[in-house]
Amino acid sequence: MTSDVIDILSAELAAAFTRTTLADILHKLAQKGFLTEHVCSRKTKCCATSSGSGRFEFVHDKIQEAAYEFMSRQEQRLNHMRFGLALYPQAVDKSNDELLFMAINQINFAGPESIVDGDQKHIIAGLNLNAGKRAGKRSDYQTAFSLFQHGMSYLEADCWTNHYGTSIELFDSAAQAAVVVNDLEAVTLYANTVNSRAKCFDDKLNCISVKLRALIHGERYGEAMGYSWR
């Protein structure tokens, strides 16, 4: 946890903590032997603040595991969600892809079970969609595919009625990524879903093309011919 992350968390969770409070907690844990602090110089570009704080790490993996397992599963989910939502706006503002993926991974560790409100789930689905697009631009298609799948997990049963645009885009993007990672089963599932749910032919077009590419790539020419004439 770097000191710039402390600043971000402090800004987002100001009602509960101040930066001094967070820093003091970390220093006290370091003094008790649970954490070790690495003070970074300017040359290392560690983003140290004026307080001189650097990077804190647990002295042993077992201590980290024990601290994590001490929390209930619901507490773990809520903490992952809070940290992810705190980091995400800063990652976008700074155009920092690494921080963006760190944020969205924290959110997805929490999972849809940590959110009750349908509109909030839709927002998280959109965050995954945007992060997946960023991963695709970096040619990291496996990550993109995973993020699109996570995004779909936040969609509710009425998504095709209440959030049609996001639903179409997530399934369409997932089908396209699935072609690149050579997952024909996923291509078929997502393309068929779009074809059955799309409101117009234009919304089906990408997935029709994607499924044809997948069938041809898998040398399933007979299926491709039959599919093209539907």
Side-chain angles (χ1 to χ4, degrees):
M1 181 183 293
T2 57
S3 52
D4 60 333
V5 173
I6 296 174
D7 292 333
I8 293 168
L9 292 176
S10 299
E12 296 293 329
L13 306 174
F17 297 106
T18 65
R19 184 189 184 287
T20 302
T21 302
L22 286 170
D24 285 348
I25 291 172
L26 293 173
H27 282 299
K28 287 178 180 178
L29 289 172
Q31 290 171 2
K32 291 180 180 294
F34 296 113
L35 300 177
T36 181
E37 179 182 4
H38 302 276
V39 179
C40 304
S41 67
R42 293 181 182 274
K43 292 182 180 179
T44 61
K45 298 181 180 180
C46 189
C47 303
T49 62
S50 57
S51 67
S53 297
R55 179 165 53 88
F56 290 86
E57 295 180 347
F58 285 97
V59 295
H60 196 281
D61 290 345
K62 292 297 183 182
I63 295 178
Q64 181 177 357
E65 291 172 10
Y68 187 76
E69 291 174 1
F70 185 75
M71 295 183 286
S72 69
R73 181 68 185 114
Q74 185 61 17
E75 287 174 326
Q76 292 171 1
R77 286 181 178 140
L78 289 175
N79 282 326
H80 283 304
M81 182 63 70
R82 286 168 183 155
F83 291 150
L85 292 176
L87 292 173
Y88 193 93
Q90 301 295 328
V92 173
D93 289 343
K94 295 180 180 181
S95 298
N96 186 327
D97 283 352
E98 297 306 321
L99 194 59
L100 175 73
F101 296 132
M102 181 191 300
I104 204 68
N105 283 337
Q106 286 295 310
I107 291 170
N108 290 333
F109 276 135
E113 299 87 355
S114 62
I115 306 173
V116 176
D117 185 79
D119 289 335
Q120 292 179 359
K121 286 186 177 181
H122 171 244
I123 291 171
I124 301 302
L127 297 184
N128 273 281
L129 175 61
N130 292 334
K133 290 179 179 178
R134 293 279 280 271
K137 288 180 180 179
R138 292 159 56 112
S139 298
D140 187 353
Y141 297 107
Q142 189 63 59
T143 296
F145 182 48
S146 176
L147 289 169
F148 295 141
Q149 288 182 307
H150 276 297
M152 287 186 287
S153 73
Y154 290 92
L155 296 175
E156 297 199 302
D158 61 357
C159 64
W160 293 100
T161 301
N162 295 334
H163 302 295
Y164 176 81
T166 301
S167 302
I168 278 286
E169 200 166 359
L170 270 170
F171 276 81
D172 191 6
S173 299
Q176 293 185 59
V179 172
V180 181
V181 300
N182 198 28
D183 189 336
L184 180 57
E185 184 177 345
V187 174
T188 300
L189 174 63
Y190 302 142
N192 288 349
T193 302
V194 169
N195 287 337
S196 66
R197 295 285 191 168
K199 295 179 179 180
C200 62
F201 180 75
D202 285 349
D203 288 344
K204 298 180 180 182
L205 192 56
N206 278 340
C207 276
I208 291 173
S209 174
V210 164
K211 187 168 180 180
L212 282 172
R213 283 167 50 201
L215 290 171
I216 292 170
H217 181 72
E219 299 183 351
R220 294 162 64 170
Y221 303 116
E223 288 183 55
M225 287 294 292
Y227 186 75
S228 65
W229 287 103
R230 288 182 184 179

